[in-house]
Amino acid sequence: VTETVWVELPEQRRYPIHVGSGVRARLGAEIARLSDVSRVAVIADQHVAELHLDRLLAALPGQPTVLTFPPGEPSKSLATFERLLGELADARIERSDLVVTFGGGVAGDLGGFVAACWLRGVRFMQVPTTIEAAVDASVGGKTAVNHAAGKNLIGAFHQPSAVLIDTDFLGTLAARDYTAGLAESIKHAAIRDPDFLTWHEQHAAAIVARDPQVLTPLIARNCTIKADVVARDEREAHLRAILNYGHTLGHAFELLLDYELRHGECVALGMLAENALAQRCGRLDAAVAQRLHASIAQLGLPTRLPRALPPADVLAACRLDKKNKAGRITFVILDGLGVPVRFASAEDADIVAALASVQPA
Ligand SMILES: NC(=O)c1ccc[n+]([C@@H]2O[C@H](COP(=O)([O-])OP(=O)(O)OC[C@H]3O[C@@H](n4cnc5c(N)ncnc54)[C@H](O)[C@@H]3O)[C@@H](O)[C@H]2O)c1
Ligand SMILES: [Zn+2]
């Protein structure tokens, strides 16, 4: 079974996300829908290319140019970006040609930004191969590379023409990468779809077992939730900010642990600590916080930091966050399931107390 989710955007930029086993076969038809594509350039994570490039190429028309980059966050750099632009130039990729990104969130963010900039923007399609990319990064058109001053500081909004999430590529994911991406799924359920949280509770064992029967509906529902938020607020003027639930403290943990944990693992811990904060501030019921804690634990995500972090360092890291206004640390907390609110009036003492709930026992 396959599913298709449409991202509804103005100015004829509406595009489909196809999810399921074998959907890579639709690449040819999606490319045929675009006018004038004469060449395709694939920008692929090297590791993913070693595992799956032959199956991707079999689904692409003609003889694409294949550009690769070393796996990992360090590739989201201006240096890699510049090298890839040079390779597009050598391959004579023109304004009407197409870029296809192949890999996890790094491939989509980096390859998407290359597509956004080459010749002032060429069209691109994404073929995400991680859970993180399938349920979150590939929806919404944010592309970026990192700067020494912080993550994702150099980027552009550039929407793809289509996204093909072929679950056949997910089987080779390392256990931690698989599990980490599920944190964003809990996030989407918590901020937008309480029934979907119940669904996670009911299907936890099958999700952990990577049952193909649950993977497609899980990914498609995440894409539906995020696509709806993005369609209402493409450039993050207001609503889209709710997607940052768990991310204020999550980013601080990511930074202070020096990327020892996966992004999703940090988001899980961030949601737990921000729930503790919301409880302390009288916003969230203990019962809802307990349910989210149980779901996170059930999926195999961490519920405590691997080592203690000094509270002063965490506060300092939060103060660097892009979302802050006028120096106040800004959170998205839950007032209840499905009711995220912007919250910028936490006292440092409350943040420190909330942090204790995720410090090692
Ligand atoms: N644009 C957005 O809206 C958005 C949203 C969330 C995250 N992101 C970005 O996404 C990135 C994280 O994404 P990620 O977790 O996918 O990281 P990633 O792309 O680095 O992939 C994680 C690891 O999995 C490997 N891998 C990928 N697919 C595989 C497969 N099918 N089989 C085996 N190994 C595979 C990769 O080689 C890599 O080592 C971050 O840079 C983050 O900023 C962007
Ligand atoms: Zn995230």
Side-chain angles (χ1 to χ4, degrees):
V1 220
T2 65
E3 295 191 37
T4 297
V5 175
W6 285 87
V7 184
E8 299 294 348
L9 294 169
E11 298 131 23
Q12 276 121 47
R13 290 176 304 139
R14 140 185 228 271
Y15 67 88
I17 303 173
H18 300 295
V19 189
S21 171
V23 296
R24 64 185 180 281
R26 297 189 202 174
L27 269 166
E30 286 298 340
I31 294 170
R33 288 199 316 143
L34 304 178
S35 54
D36 292 337
V37 177
S38 50
R39 310 279 305 281
V40 175
V42 174
I43 297 183
D45 176 308
Q46 212 159 62
H47 179 56
V48 175
E50 280 158 18
L51 291 167
H52 301 298
L53 186 66
D54 48 347
R55 288 200 281 178
L56 181 78
L57 290 182
L60 284 169
Q63 273 168 349
T65 300
V66 179
L67 315 179
T68 62
F69 62 85
E73 190 69 24
S75 282
K76 270 178 62 173
S77 66
L78 281 177
T80 315
F81 167 78
E82 190 178 3
R83 173 176 65 78
L84 291 170
L85 291 176
E87 294 178 11
L88 289 181
D90 292 343
R92 304 194 184 283
I93 297 299
E94 296 176 352
R95 183 71 189 72
S96 65
D97 290 337
L98 182 75
V99 166
V100 173
T101 65
F102 190 43
V106 168
D109 280 17
L110 168 68
F113 186 52
V114 166
C117 294
W118 179 244
L119 306 176
R120 296 196 184 85
V122 296
R123 294 168 295 188
F124 83 117
M125 292 184 186
Q126 296 210 40
V127 182
T129 64
T130 63
I131 297 290
E132 175 74 32
V135 305
D136 190 344
S138 69
V139 188
K142 280 190 180 177
T143 70
V145 296
N146 301 325
H147 183 271
K151 263 191 81 166
N152 299 329
L153 292 184
I154 310 164
F157 287 97
H158 189 50
Q159 299 288 351
S161 304
V163 177
L164 295 106
I165 306 174
D166 194 323
T167 51
D168 294 356
F169 294 134
L170 299 175
T172 50
L173 267 180
R176 272 184 73 188
D177 288 309
Y178 177 81
T179 307
L182 298 173
E184 308 283 7
S185 187
I186 295 290
K187 177 191 80 176
H188 286 146
I191 59 174
R192 209 69 182 156
D193 190 347
D195 290 343
F196 191 33
L197 184 66
T198 308
W199 186 92
H200 282 89
E201 291 165 344
Q202 289 166 343
H203 295 87
I207 297 169
V208 170
R210 305 195 193 192
D211 180 346
Q213 304 286 333
V214 302
L215 218 45
T216 297
L218 178 137
I219 293 167
R221 191 133 160 201
N222 274 288
C223 292
T224 303
I225 294 169
K226 188 164 178 191
D228 175 65
V229 172
V230 168
R232 290 163 195 266
D233 180 21
E234 188 181 357
R235 293 192 170 235
E236 198 162 328
H238 47 94
L239 180 71
R240 189 167 175 166
I242 65 173
L243 299 169
N244 291 316
Y245 165 56
H247 281 62
T248 302
L249 282 167
H251 280 148
F253 298 157
E254 215 173 343
L255 193 74
L256 295 172
L257 293 168
D258 209 13
Y259 297 95
E260 173 187 323
L261 289 191
R262 305 288 195 273
H263 172 73
E265 294 172 329
C266 292
V267 170
L269 293 165
M271 291 191 287
L272 293 174
E274 292 177 15
N275 286 352
L277 177 67
Q279 269 185 277
R280 282 190 71 81
C281 300
R283 309 297 286 262
L284 184 67
D285 290 348
V288 176
Q290 186 45 48
R291 252 184 96 185
L292 287 164
H293 190 284
S295 292
I296 285 169
Q298 229 173 1
L299 294 177
L301 287 159
T303 56
R304 293 198 180 264
L305 290 159
R307 53 189 163 87
L309 293 177
D313 294 359
V314 176
L315 289 172
C318 288
R319 292 211 155 79
L320 297 174
D321 198 277
K322 284 194 293 255
K323 297 183 291 299
N324 296 338
K325 289 211 177 69
R328 290 214 66 96
I329 300 174
T330 303
F331 297 93
V332 173
I333 58 163
L334 298 178
D335 240 347
L337 269 188
V339 193
V341 290
R342 185 173 174 278
F343 186 64
S345 50
E347 298 298 333
D348 284 3
D350 287 320
I351 302 172
V352 171
L355 199 57
S357 67
V358 295
Q359 295 279 22

